[in-house]
Amino acid sequence: MITLAIQNATMALVALLTGVALVAAALLIAGLISPRSFNPQKGEPYECGIPTRGESMAQFKVGYYLFAILFLMFDVETVFLYPWAVRMRDLQGQGVISIAVFFGVLVLGLVYAWRKGALEWK
C-alpha cells in the first residue's frame, strides 16, 4: 500500500515536471524564433488604420463587465449540465437531488443578480 502511494506520488511529480518542462520549452522556442521590431511606432495606439486622436484609453461602464461575467458564469454552469444529462439514468435519486441543488444555487444567483440590477442596460 505504501509502495502504491509512492508510485502515485512519483507519477504525479513526473506529470508536473513534464508540464513545466513543456511550457518552458515552448516559451524558450517562441522567444528564440519570434521576430523582433524596435520601431517606435509599434508602441503607439492604432485602430482601424487611422491614428487615434487624443486619449486612446476609453473607459467602459462597469455594467458591461458585470453582464459579461454573469453571462460566462451561467454559460459555464450550463456546460456542467451535459455530463449529468448523459449519466442521468445511472445516477437515479442521488443525481436528481444533486442537480436540484445545483439548479437551486443557479436560480438563487440569477435572482440575486436580478435584484441588484445587474441585468439591466442603463
Side-chain angles (χ1 to χ4, degrees), residues 17-34:
L17 291 176
T18 302
V20 169
L22 287 174
V23 169
L27 289 173
L28 179 68
I29 291 170
L32 292 175
I33 66 173
S34 65

Side-chain angles (χ1 to χ4, degrees), residues 36-100:
R36 289 178 179 76
S37 173
F38 298 106
N39 191 345
Q41 287 183 333
K42 186 177 179 182
E44 291 184 10
Y46 181 80
E47 182 180 345
C48 301
I50 301 170
T52 58
R53 291 185 216 151
E55 194 66 30
S56 63
M57 276 289 290
Q59 291 186 350
F60 293 98
K61 289 174 46 178
V62 174
Y64 297 131
Y65 295 112
L66 186 58
F67 197 83
I69 288 172
L70 285 171
F71 173 77
L72 286 175
M73 181 180 72
F74 288 112
D75 195 39
V76 168
E77 288 176 350
T78 304
V79 169
F80 285 128
L81 293 177
Y82 181 74
W84 172 80
V86 170
R87 300 283 311 218
M88 188 175 82
R89 289 186 183 163
D90 299 336
L91 297 175
Q92 297 173 352
Q94 183 182 3
V96 173
I97 291 170
S98 66
I99 205 64

Side-chain angles (χ1 to χ4, degrees), residues 1-15:
M1 184 156 162
I2 293 175
T3 58
L4 184 62
I6 292 172
Q7 187 179 16
N8 287 341
T10 305
M11 288 173 55
L13 182 64
V14 167

